[in-house]
């Protein structure tokens, strides 16, 4: 299964981001803690390589608590200090504020040495679609400053938001990159809801999701739903029968069963799961 999604508005948003990076001092990049590598935009890494960066593993409350520390260690080995965050409950928000204050203090000290006074510190918040940027910004600002939603594409334009203390924040639309060289990256992004459902084949995606969970968490799907099957296709059919999703004539409605599974996966009804491991941790 090869998923590619890069609508026209993302091309425009990428160009705008490239221009806006010239205006900001610090980039706050949000990754999804369930897929930290797959949710990391390589274009942003290239565009923002000269900027001070704060990396956040958002939705840490949905990720496997035994795996998140492995990702934090892996990211630290790359020279950054990642922060796990649950933006909905504000768990980890104080650490984020401290990181922003420290980065802003460094920038102000550099400005003073150059004779620049009272210039606002400007932050850019960036990440893939549906990674939780708007919820994060609202938590950070302490008010509803950005639109939120559970589907990709809610934020379409850039907007500046004042955080007080001479700190301004730029909210940017969620963007992907033009092509996923590894097909598994597209699948993982689709599984967490970062790709428009209209471009997906629901049954095929659900099968891929079940196969992935069978590799990472053997027996999890069977145990959660009380179903049996020798492979992903049989498990989808079994799920349709158990949940009584049938078509006219009594045939299992695999489309509805697949949608049910994907919704459960995205909202962590099957438990806190991480869909990929950092390099070298496969045997953990």
């Amino acid at each position: 299964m090869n998923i590619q999604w890069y609508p026209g508005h993302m091309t425009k948003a990428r160009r705008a981001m490239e221009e806006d990076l010239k205006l900001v001092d610090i980039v706050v990049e949000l990754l999804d803690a369930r897929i930290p590598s797959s949710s990391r935009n390589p274009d942003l890494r290239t565009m923002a390589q000269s900027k001070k960066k704060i990396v956040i593993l958002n939705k840490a409350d949905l990720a496997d608590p035994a795996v998140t520390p492995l990702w934090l260690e892996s990211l630290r080995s790359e020279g950054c200090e990642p922060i796990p965050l649950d933006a909905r409950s504000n768990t980890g928000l104080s650490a984020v504020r401290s990181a922003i204050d420290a980065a802003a203090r460094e920038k102000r000290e550099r400005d003073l040495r150059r004779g620049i006074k009272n210039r606002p510190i400007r932050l850019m918040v960036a990440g893939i679609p549906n990674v939780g940027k708007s919820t994060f910004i609202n938590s950070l600002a302490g008010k509803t400053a950005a639109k939120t939603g559970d589907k990709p594409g809610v934020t379409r334009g850039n907007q500046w938001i004042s955080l007080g203390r001479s700190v301004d924040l730029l909210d940017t639309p969620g963007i992907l990159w033009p092509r996923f060289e590894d097909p598994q990256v597209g699948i993982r992004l689709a599984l967490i809801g970062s790709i428009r459902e209209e471009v997906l084949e629901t049954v095929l995606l659900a099968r891929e999701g079940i196969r992935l969970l069978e590799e990472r968490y053997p027996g999890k799907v069977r145990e959660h739903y009380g179903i049996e099957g020798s492979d992903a296709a049989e498990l989808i059919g079994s799920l349709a029968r158990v949940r009584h999703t049938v078509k006219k004539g009594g045939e299992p409605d695999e489309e509805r069963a697949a949608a049910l599974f994907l919704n459960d996966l995205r909202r962590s009804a099957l438990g806190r799961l991480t869909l990929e491991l950092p390099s070298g941790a496969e045997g953990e």
Side-chain angles (χ1 to χ4, degrees), residues 39-58:
S39 60
R40 202 170 191 184
N41 188 332
D43 284 354
L44 178 62
R45 186 183 302 190
T46 301
M47 291 189 294
Q49 59 184 342
S50 64
K51 300 293 181 179
K52 173 72 175 179
K53 188 181 290 185
I54 297 171
V55 177
I56 295 172
L57 291 187
N58 197 27

Side-chain angles (χ1 to χ4, degrees), residues 198-219:
E198 290 82 359
V199 306
L200 301 174
E201 297 180 74
T202 306
V203 174
L204 292 181
L205 179 60
R207 289 177 184 173
E208 292 287 351
I210 289 174
R211 278 193 283 269
L212 180 56
L213 290 192
E214 283 294 292
E215 292 174 7
R216 292 279 298 111
Y217 302 94

